[in-house]
Amino acid sequence: MKRITIAIDGPAASGKSTAARAVAERLGYTHLNSGLLYRAITWTALRDGWLSSESDFDEVLAGLDIVLVPTPPTFSVTIDGAWLGREMHSAQVAARVSAVASRPAVRERILVLLQAVERAGVVCDGRDIGTVVFPDAALKVFLVASAVERGRRRVLERNEQPTDENVRMEKELLEARDEIDSSRDIAPLVRSADAIQIDTTVLGPEEVIDAIVALVQERIRT
Ligand code: CDP
């Protein structure tokens, strides 16, 4: 059966990665989470202390060995041979990743890594996948959800009980990141004209996955 490329973009915590991974599993495709690469660079820069060094940043970045390792049904990231995992989802990384992702050298480096992946049978999620990374993707989906719902989901992901206060704090962090991601000069977060928007505010994960799989089946038939 024909294997297509699926691009899933959208703002922070709109459910992209969960949906992308599940769609890949259902279809026997591979999930490529582009946000992991931005997080991996940010985490390494924080750990090694070159994050705020304007003069060193691009030079150190150029010397890093960044590899996307196939770990079916997804890809993992190694930097200089070290495997990166949960630490990439820390609050410290979240607070800095959008500034790092605005840097031209970072975007150029990650674009090359993503475009080197075999694109037939890939479900790639991020901010600029349908617009810049895989502009020829046969299916482009743009996932959105209300900021309060996105904040609530992130609180639940941390196994915390959502309250007005922790949801509001999380919502503000997500909105700050969306603002930087949407307003940067290179590859901003924007819906591609040919992307299908799905509002997941009142949808459960299974409903989102079913909707995307149905769109894939429709595209394969045409
Ligand atoms: O999971 P969540 O939606 O919170 O974020 P992510 O997909 O892990 O992406 C983390 C950050 O990386 C985003 O806020 C963007 O700043 C950046 N990013 C990007 O610029 N372009 C992409 N294609 C993917 C992520």
Side-chain angles (χ1 to χ4, degrees):
M1 199 188 285
K2 187 166 99 183
R3 288 161 74 78
I4 63 169
T5 306
I6 305 166
I8 304 184
D9 290 301
S14 56
K16 302 176 301 291
S17 298
T18 309
R21 189 184 170 108
V23 167
E25 278 174 355
R26 277 225 211 146
L27 298 171
Y29 279 31
T30 311
H31 173 210
L32 181 55
N33 179 341
S34 66
L36 282 186
L37 288 162
Y38 294 92
R39 288 176 179 271
I41 291 172
T42 307
W43 187 80
T44 305
L46 273 169
R47 183 196 58 191
D48 297 346
W50 44 276
L51 187 70
S52 338
S53 162
E54 233 3 90
S55 52
D56 290 350
F57 191 102
D58 289 0
E59 204 182 314
V60 181
L61 174 69
L64 294 181
D65 183 25
I66 309 173
V67 182
L68 269 174
V69 188
T71 48
T74 188
F75 280 91
S76 303
V77 183
T78 62
I79 293 197
D80 291 341
W83 292 84
L84 302 183
R86 285 307 306 166
E87 63 272 33
M88 284 192 285
H89 296 281
S90 66
Q92 291 89 325
V93 169
R96 305 295 199 90
V97 65
S98 289
V100 168
S102 301
R103 302 183 69 102
V106 170
R107 300 216 72 83
E108 182 51 38
R109 183 77 188 271
I110 291 181
L111 183 64
V112 171
L113 284 164
L114 294 171
Q115 289 185 333
V117 171
E118 167 58 50
R119 64 190 65 186
V122 89
V123 189
C124 185
D125 75 289
R127 304 291 185 290
D128 60 342
I129 309 307
T131 50
V132 175
V133 180
F134 297 131
D136 299 331
L139 175 64
K140 300 180 187 178
V141 175
F142 197 77
L143 290 186
V144 296
S146 76
V148 171
E149 176 58 17
R150 294 188 285 125
R152 198 182 70 86
R153 289 178 190 167
R154 275 290 136 96
V155 169
L156 286 172
E157 268 171 28
R158 293 198 301 261
N159 291 322
E160 287 173 28
Q161 190 60 31
T163 63
D164 286 352
E165 181 59 13
N166 63 15
V167 169
R168 186 185 56 77
M169 278 171 59
E170 195 59 46
K171 168 180 171 287
E172 282 171 10
L173 293 172
L174 295 173
E175 286 177 326
R177 197 139 60 84
D178 290 344
E179 172 58 27
I180 304 176
D181 290 343
S182 309
S183 59
R184 67 179 172 231
D185 292 335
I186 312 169
L189 165 66
V190 58
R191 181 164 79 88
S192 175
D194 52 354
I196 293 169
Q197 180 159 312
I198 302 177
D199 187 336
T200 74
T201 306
V202 296
L203 298 180
E206 286 301 315
E207 290 171 295
V208 178
I209 298 157
D210 287 347
I212 299 174
V213 169
L215 289 169
V216 175
Q217 281 158 352
E218 190 186 295
R219 291 298 149 99
I220 288 173
R221 276 197 300 271
T222 54

